[in-house]
Amino acid sequence: MPNIKVFSGSSHLDLAQRVVDRLGIDLGKVVTKKFSNLETCVEIGESVRGEDVYIVQSGSGEINDNLMELLIMINACKIASASRVTAVIPCFPYARQDKKDKAGLEGKDDGSKVVATPPQARFKSNEWKFRAGHTALPSQSRAPISAKLVANMLSVAGADHIITMDLHASQIQGFFDIPVDNLYAEPAVLKWIKENIPEWRNSIIVSPDAGGAKRVTSIADRLNVEFALIHKERRKANEVASMVLVGDVKDRIAILVDDMADTCGTICHAAEKLMDAGATKVYAILTHGIFSGPAISRINNACFEAVVVTNTIPQEEHMRDCPKIQCIDVSMMFAEAVRRTHNGESVSYLFSNVPY
């Protein structure tokens, strides 16, 4: 493959090495270091003039440092006259901050504190209910849309193309003015289910929230099994208040499918709910296993047969600490996407097939 260079940031060297091994080329030379004031410094160790450059960097670990490193690497290649720079971001950082949906309050200062009743006590007209004698006006939220900010930063740094996998909301592709290839872990997930769950024909695919309904229906249709979903209500981030199961899981193998798991409160609650509803076994299949905070101890204490994740995020340490965690290698999908992009071929084959 002439005129191609693949570089790796420091977030996931193993995945980048697997990609270049599959392509039959060597990983590009790059040195990343930090100055004493913790500024990131990147030195590209070989010529990229006129080359098609791919930079592999996942949104994991020290996310802010890794994002900054990626931006600097993109810019370094761009100003060194690379013909095209593609950012390969297996797990897109800040993808959960993709919309403004929190309600806020603006109060008139009349010397007394504005107090609102909880959100569930709002009128149907979406007005807020206030205690007598206090005046306040409903306002728009001041929550950021950080995923859009990251998209802008990548574009300004000089990225010409983005390759990622299972965006938290596929609409994030619209935040970019450059091409975005959003690959799907679904083909690899289907392959794993058929090879590792002998009784998969008696299974039911379950979404742990309403937002993942489209994902689970697609998998259930391709396996020709039924699906269910769990409606959850959050009081605040990373904390689930209540759950309601919609569907019949009695005497079936329940397979929870989601795009990511962070503190794992949701999937552990969901697994408990499924066992209470009569499921015989519970598996969880997740694209991005972030596993921060108490996640590992929660999985160890939960009733999962296995928690299956892809290697979009490094999993060696998690697998060492938790024997229930298993890993699906998706490096061949990224390698094939890079090869097809470099040769000007369609990547839509990868949306429904695993390259061998």
Side-chain angles (χ1 to χ4, degrees):
M1 296 178 69
N3 303 109
I4 183 172
K5 300 277 187 189
V6 178
F7 296 100
S8 175
S10 54
S11 69
H12 202 343
L13 193 58
D14 176 62
L15 181 67
Q17 189 62 56
R18 287 170 182 262
V19 168
V20 294
D21 288 347
R22 169 110 182 166
L23 293 172
I25 59 176
D26 294 324
L27 204 55
K29 297 184 182 72
V30 61
V31 177
T32 58
K33 58 187 177 185
K34 280 195 170 65
F35 294 124
S36 59
N37 65 349
L38 300 183
E39 281 184 4
T40 299
C41 176
V42 176
E43 294 173 7
I44 306 296
E46 53 192 84
S47 172
V48 294
R49 185 177 295 274
E51 301 278 2
D52 191 8
V53 174
Y54 295 82
I55 300 170
V56 181
Q57 181 81 311
S58 195
S60 60
E62 299 287 340
I63 290 179
N64 295 333
D65 282 353
N66 291 336
L67 176 59
M68 196 67 211
E69 187 179 283
L70 173 61
L71 296 170
I72 294 170
M73 288 177 76
I74 291 169
N75 192 247
C77 291
K78 201 67 184 175
I79 62 177
S81 301
S83 68
R84 178 174 63 174
V85 179
T86 300
V88 181
I89 313 173
C91 179
F92 193 84
Y94 291 91
R96 284 177 286 183
Q97 298 182 41
D98 62 334
K99 59 185 176 293
K100 270 172 111 164
D101 61 352
K102 296 180 176 67
L105 291 175
E106 286 284 333
K108 288 182 180 177
D109 188 10
D110 60 353
S112 60
K113 187 179 177 185
V114 176
V115 184
T117 55
Q120 61 266 32
R122 290 180 213 168
F123 289 120
K124 285 185 179 176
S125 62
N126 285 332
E127 293 177 358
W128 286 81
K129 191 174 182 180
F130 300 99
R131 292 183 186 169
H134 297 171
T135 55
L137 301 169
S139 78
Q140 291 299 314
S141 158
R142 283 171 291 276
I145 306 178
S146 305
K148 168 66 172 169
L149 175 62
V150 171
N152 288 342
M153 289 162 71
L154 289 164
S155 297
V156 170
D160 298 297
H161 182 206
I162 306 292
I163 297 174
T164 186
M165 179 171 273
D166 274 5
L167 283 170
H168 187 61
S170 56
Q171 293 89 332
I172 291 172
Q173 294 171 88
F175 293 171
F176 289 89
D177 294 323
I178 57 176
V180 178
D181 284 320
N182 181 29
L183 305 178
Y184 300 101
E186 182 184 303
V189 167
L190 290 167
K191 184 169 177 280
W192 189 92
I193 290 172
K194 289 176 179 177
E195 290 177 357
N196 294 276
I197 304 178
E199 316 92 343
W200 63 267
R201 287 181 178 82
N202 186 39
S203 66
I204 183 165
I205 312 297
V206 185
S207 173
D209 56 31
K214 190 176 177 183
R215 187 181 298 108
V216 300
T217 51
S218 175
I219 291 174
D221 286 348
R222 292 186 64 180
L223 289 174
N224 197 26
V225 298
E226 291 184 22
F227 74 93
L229 65 85
I230 292 171
H231 174 68
K232 70 181 178 186
E233 210 175 80
R234 285 187 188 274
R235 293 279 184 268
K236 56 185 179 182
N238 292 334
E239 193 175 298
V240 179
S242 63
M243 286 188 160
V244 179
L245 174 63
V246 182
D248 181 20
V249 299
K250 189 170 175 59
D251 299 327
R252 293 187 183 180
I253 295 169
I255 304 173
L256 277 163
V257 177
D258 206 356
D259 67 319
M260 66 169 61
D262 189 352
T263 56
C264 291
T266 301
I267 63 161
C268 289
H269 274 120
E272 201 176 306
K273 193 90 181 169
L274 291 168
M275 291 302 280
D276 291 345
T280 55
K281 294 178 182 175
V282 179
Y283 292 84
I285 303 182
L286 317 156
T287 305
H288 309 298
I290 300 168
F291 302 144
S292 64
I296 296 298
S297 63
R298 282 176 174 171
I299 293 172
N300 279 325
N301 296 327
C303 53
F304 293 111
E305 289 290 312
V307 174
V308 184
V309 293
T310 69
N311 60 342
T312 56
I313 292 172
Q315 298 294 344
E316 292 80 10
E317 196 175 319
H318 299 146
M319 291 170 75
R320 194 166 55 245
D321 295 338
C322 178
K324 291 181 183 177
I325 295 175
Q326 299 181 30
C327 192
I328 300 172
D329 182 18
V330 290
S331 61
M332 78 288 283
M333 300 184 79
F334 285 103
E336 186 65 11
V338 168
R339 189 193 69 76
R340 286 170 177 259
T341 302
H342 176 65
N343 293 332
E345 300 172 22
S346 168
V347 299
S348 58
Y349 170 84
L350 300 173
F351 297 162
S352 54
N353 298 280
V354 179
Y356 289 94

